[in-house]
Amino acid sequence: MESHSIRVNRGEMERTSALLGVRFYFRARLPVSSFLPSRLKELEQEAHFVAGERFHITSNNQLREILFGKLKLHLRSPRETLPRTGLQKLPSTSEAVLSALQDLHPLPKIILEYRRVHKTKSAFVDGLLACMRKGSISSTWNQTGTVTGRLSTRHPNIQGISRHPIQITKPQDFKGLEGTVLTISPRSMFVAPDGYTFLAADFSQIELRILTHLSGDPELLKLFRESERDDVFSTLTSQWKDIPPERVTHADREQTKKVVYSAVYGAGKERLAACLGVTVQEAALFLETFLQKYKKIKEFVQTTIAQCRQTGYVASIMGRRRLLPRVHAQDQQLRAQAERQAVNFAVQGSAADLCKMAMIRVFTAVAASPTLTARLVAQLHDELLFEVEEPQVPEFAALVRGTMEALQDVPALQLQVPLKVSLSAGQSWGHLVPLQEGPGPSAQPTSR
Ligand code: DCT
Ligand code: MN
């Protein structure tokens, strides 16, 4: 991956920087040029206007003084428990606080958007530009940089480039202008060279499958074995919430996902409540009913922690160990943290093992093939991204799927659950379309 580079589409890059950097209310068809005030500048001016004074928009101290010293928003806030910092114990200017205040005054919303645009611009425009060489980027990969055994990347951190488009909203209540939503899809800046196409192979629900294997939960096992063509999270949603499958919405599915991963990784009811936007009591009830229905998950969590206490380490499916001496700490918080890390490592570390094995096996298979020339260009944890010569797509797709799904039967693993790979392809990383299942080893049902 390091000896190969990925092409960046200059036009798309310019479009994105223009969206972020340049005013987008064009009265006439003005040329997009740099002397127009940038979107950040514009937000800064809006902030000064609604604050009634000029201040350093990036200074949290000055912002705090205006929000709470001058505008006294904390006194008007229905929430009595805004998190506080600093000597004067004024509320912080964190995202959570600003969100809680956004209906009281236009300033918090403007600041939130300023931060979002700034972050997007620095990561996806300035950050990428700084890493570009001859119109391409090539990340540096670190094999020993994470505690779970996942790979990590820098310059650029291609694994951190959001899969989902980022939406930036213009505040609606400023100067009576309509709110406009901008969509930025950072992945669409990466393109395959002429004659090639990107092919992405994504392990579906790898962590949930690993968890199912490790816990042996019969309900989950049944779900994965029987409904191979169905979407497991949708079925799961219908099952534990007791609603018919056809009434499960995308939002329900996402909610289930959050509940599942919170239950496993020990996020706790407060964090779950915050991320679902429900009350703490509701979140607690979700976790409880979920763990009630899939009893072996709770058992697995407890067994993992107990074993870690006994040995001082936790091991991944391939036997890689993480030492966790703090599992014996006196301090309850440190101990609870080590316990969460133990369970997280068992599942995520095992998923990392599988993904690395997939990389090695696909590489070996391509090297052994007299015809295939596909190259791995990036590993995004559970997703492998390849550059493939266009005519070779069908053959390579079948090989990748076959190789990755066959990991289920590796003797050292003997997974109780089937593995499922979804394939997509396209000219740009941001616009991959699902590949139809072609003929090949994957076309046969793999029920066992
Ligand atoms: N993850 C997590 N907490 C969440 C969501 C995800 O810890 N709220 C972790 C666990 C799975 C991993 O990130 C990959 O996330 P997704 O791809 O969103 O999950 P998935 O199980 O693969 O589900 P999907 O079928 O939607 O891709
Ligand atoms: Mn996924």
Side-chain angles (χ1 to χ4, degrees):
M1 291 188 288
E2 282 189 350
S3 62
H4 195 73
S5 59
I6 302 177
R7 184 175 294 186
V8 176
N9 180 337
R10 193 165 278 279
E12 190 62 29
M13 177 78 132
E14 278 163 6
R15 194 188 73 94
T16 306
S17 29
L19 280 178
L20 292 171
V22 180
R23 178 189 286 273
F24 54 95
Y25 280 103
F26 299 109
R27 288 186 181 276
R29 287 172 56 88
L30 294 173
V32 178
S33 48
S34 52
F35 58 77
L36 286 169
S38 77
R39 179 76 186 119
L40 287 172
K41 201 86 212 142
E42 193 178 59
L43 282 164
E44 189 177 0
Q45 284 165 359
E46 289 177 10
H48 292 168
F49 179 80
V50 301
E53 66 179 279
R54 294 175 63 84
F55 66 101
H56 274 293
I57 194 162
T58 50
S59 156
N60 287 334
N61 278 334
Q62 292 188 23
L63 177 64
R64 187 173 9 252
E65 192 44 45
I66 289 176
L67 288 173
F68 310 114
K70 179 176 177 180
L71 302 170
K72 305 213 182 303
L73 293 186
H74 56 306
L75 302 180
R76 290 167 54 198
S77 165
R79 285 214 200 170
E80 281 153 25
T81 54
L82 294 173
R84 272 148 215 269
T85 73
L87 288 175
Q88 299 137 301
K89 292 282 165 223
L90 284 174
S92 85
T93 56
S94 69
E95 188 172 336
V97 170
L98 293 180
S99 304
L101 299 174
Q102 60 183 334
D103 293 330
L104 300 174
H105 193 274
L107 186 56
K109 243 186 201 158
I110 293 172
I111 301 294
L112 282 172
E113 192 192 355
Y114 184 92
R115 289 185 185 167
R116 208 157 46 226
V117 174
H118 185 81
K119 205 171 130 197
T120 309
K121 184 177 175 294
S122 56
F124 301 129
V125 179
D126 307 339
L128 276 183
L129 277 172
C131 305
M132 261 166 74
R133 301 278 175 278
K134 294 185 192 154
S136 302
I137 53 109
S138 180
S139 299
T140 302
W141 296 81
N142 191 344
Q143 298 212 63
T144 52
T146 69
V147 289
T148 54
R150 282 175 152 199
L151 300 182
S152 64
T153 47
R154 295 178 59 193
H155 308 304
N157 173 10
I158 195 166
Q159 293 176 321
I161 294 178
S162 169
R163 180 189 309 255
H164 308 286
I166 299 163
Q167 300 207 317
I168 293 175
T169 320
K170 173 116 177 157
Q172 302 212 343
D173 48 1
F174 183 71
K175 293 182 191 160
L177 291 172
E178 283 289 300
T180 306
V181 178
L182 294 175
T183 303
I184 291 161
S185 165
R187 288 190 170 186
S188 63
M189 281 186 267
F190 301 96
V191 290
D194 291 340
Y196 288 76
T197 185
F198 281 139
L199 185 140
D202 205 316
F203 271 126
S204 301
Q205 301 99 34
I206 185 76
E207 291 183 28
L208 184 59
R209 285 170 200 261
I210 298 265
L211 173 71
T212 304
H213 167 77
L214 293 174
S215 67
D217 184 87
E219 293 280 344
L220 285 173
L221 274 174
K222 210 165 108 198
L223 217 62
F224 275 120
R225 285 177 181 159
E226 285 176 3
S227 58
E228 234 191 297
R229 298 288 142 196
D230 300 342
D231 174 80
V232 170
F233 273 114
S234 300
T235 318
L236 203 61
T237 307
S238 124
Q239 211 177 66
W240 84 276
K241 287 187 143 181
D242 203 16
I243 48 177
E246 64 276 8
R247 281 195 35 221
V248 175
T249 63
H250 176 74
D252 291 335
R253 184 186 186 274
E254 285 301 301
Q255 191 183 55
T256 302
K257 216 156 97 176
K258 286 179 181 149
V259 173
V260 173
Y261 290 124
S262 300
V264 184
Y265 296 144
K269 51 188 188 220
E270 283 85 11
R271 274 216 7 229
L272 180 63
C275 101
L276 288 179
V278 300
T279 65
V280 176
Q281 290 89 325
E282 279 175 299
L285 189 70
F286 282 165
L287 287 174
E288 204 177 297
T289 51
F290 182 81
L291 289 171
Q292 266 302 313
K293 179 131 185 80
Y294 307 98
K295 291 199 172 61
K296 287 270 182 132
I297 292 182
K298 198 168 189 171
E299 250 176 70
F300 160 74
V301 168
Q302 287 164 346
T303 319
T304 306
I305 294 169
Q307 276 172 1
C308 182
R309 238 179 246 138
Q310 228 166 46
T311 58
Y313 65 79
V314 59
S316 73
I317 203 166
M318 290 300 289
R320 207 158 36 77
R321 291 178 186 180
R322 178 176 183 192
L323 302 180
L324 284 167
R326 285 188 174 165
V327 80
H328 297 122
Q330 292 294 317
D331 184 293
Q332 198 271 334
Q333 257 184 338
L334 287 179
R335 211 169 54 235
Q337 186 190 33
E339 291 174 359
R340 283 195 300 274
Q341 287 168 336
V343 179
N344 182 262
F345 180 90
V347 179
Q348 206 173 77
S350 299
D353 288 351
L354 272 179
C355 295
K356 288 179 184 171
M357 287 168 76
M359 293 166 72
I360 295 168
R361 282 171 182 242
V362 173
F363 178 87
T364 313
V366 170
S369 155
T371 48
L372 292 174
T373 57
R375 303 196 51 139
L376 181 66
V377 296
Q379 189 247 43
L380 303 310
H381 307 304
D382 52 354
E383 172 186 348
L384 301 182
L385 185 69
F386 299 93
E387 249 173 42
V388 191
E389 283 184 67
E390 257 151 26
Q392 297 183 10
V393 167
E395 185 187 351
F396 181 68
L399 175 123
V400 170
R401 187 195 294 281
T403 308
M404 288 171 75
E405 291 184 349
L407 283 171
Q408 181 193 355
D409 298 318
V410 169
L413 300 175
Q414 285 300 325
L415 296 182
Q416 307 181 58
V417 274
L419 293 176
K420 194 172 142 192
V421 170
S422 57
L423 299 175
S424 49
Q427 224 40 62
S428 139
W429 189 27
H431 304 284
L432 303 179
V433 283
L435 267 191
Q436 296 307 319
E437 239 166 281
S442 56
Q444 281 103 48
T446 51
S447 60
R448 315 156 38 84

